[in-house]
Amino acid sequence: RIEIGHHTCDLLRVFNAQACALVLGAGAVRSAGLRSISAKHLALSCESCYMLAQLVPTLRAVFLAPGSGPHNSHSHSHGGHHSAPLEPRKHMLLVEIDKLAQDLTVHTSEIHSKLVDIMQDRLVAAARQLTAESAEWGSTPLVLPPPAAGTSSGGGGGGGSAAPPGVPAPLPAGFEPCTSLRSLAKQLHTLQGVLVPLLQPEEVGYIFGRVASLFSETLAATLDALAPPPVTNAAAAAAAAAPGAVVGGAAWEERRRLNTLFVLQCLHALPLEKAQAATYLSRLSTFHTKHYGPVNASQTARLVPVDAGSTAA
């Protein structure tokens, strides 16, 4: 039986090594003709690691339990209460099983990190695009409708109804986030659709926790470093043609606020561990609170796009 245990460990170790080489190491791109290794390939490989890891306790129970070797009186289960050391052959098998468990843990961790790295690459590209797009935020006029009763149009947020604590307030009708952030939101949604059906809930929460924290830190730093450009004559003329419209710093600042709120909404909707969600989003939430007030405060009486001004006024 001990010999069968060694062979079983060898088979599982070979499978794990091949999965690592083909998926994480992208060997399947060359050997199987795949165009690329997708998040779904990584998720399936990760789930196979989870399945093999579930076999490790069974391997210990079957091959290291009392009665599984020639010296039954000296056998015991790994990690349990025992009266005598394992015989040498069982001890060698125990070392192999422990090494297999460690390899599976390392492989799983590397897949998790790879999935996060994929989103980090997309985040970096989007942050660069966001910086370029922000130069136009003050050029397009926005209309400031009259404040509704009980609300304020100041930077600290309105005094009307508010979302639950920590939940971002809804965006005003007619506002369209910038292209870079919409693209990031779509990629987050796609990744969620891939990982949730395949991975264990605790893995999904861990991966998206890292992603949300990374997005929060990076985008808060990017948004905080932005500065409104000078108002052009064309923008000023456009604002003059729309009653109640503003351009320049006021319009730019409002678009920065609404884009920040949009990101917070996207991150808040991810499958995060509830106890840690606020921590993951703390950097971006702090940025919003510092410049514009609490993220859950009603802001519906603030600036809205010109094309929606007629209905909001």
Side-chain angles (χ1 to χ4, degrees), residues 163-168 268 281 285 295-296:
V167 177
H268 191 272
L281 310 186
S285 296
V295 298
N296 64 318

Side-chain angles (χ1 to χ4, degrees), residues 57-150:
T58 303
L59 294 178
R60 292 192 179 112
V62 170
F63 297 113
L64 301 177
S68 62
H71 303 292
N72 296 343
S73 61
H74 298 291
S75 302
H76 73 96
S77 297
H78 176 65
H81 297 288
H82 54 275
S83 57
L86 287 173
E87 59 167 296
R89 293 179 65 203
K90 281 192 174 182
H91 181 74
M92 291 177 62
L93 179 56
L94 171 62
V95 172
E96 283 196 44
I97 293 175
D98 286 348
K99 181 62 167 60
L100 172 64
Q102 182 182 9
D103 289 346
L104 292 170
T105 299
V106 170
H107 188 183
T108 300
S109 178
E110 289 177 345
I111 293 175
H112 292 168
S113 295
K114 182 63 175 179
L115 289 166
V116 174
D117 288 345
I118 290 173
M119 296 309 297
Q120 182 176 23
D121 291 343
R122 295 173 181 177
L123 172 62
V124 169
R128 287 196 296 263
Q129 184 181 350
L130 174 63
T131 300
E133 289 175 334
S134 70
E136 302 299 323
W137 289 351
S139 301
T140 305
L142 289 175
V143 172
L144 178 62

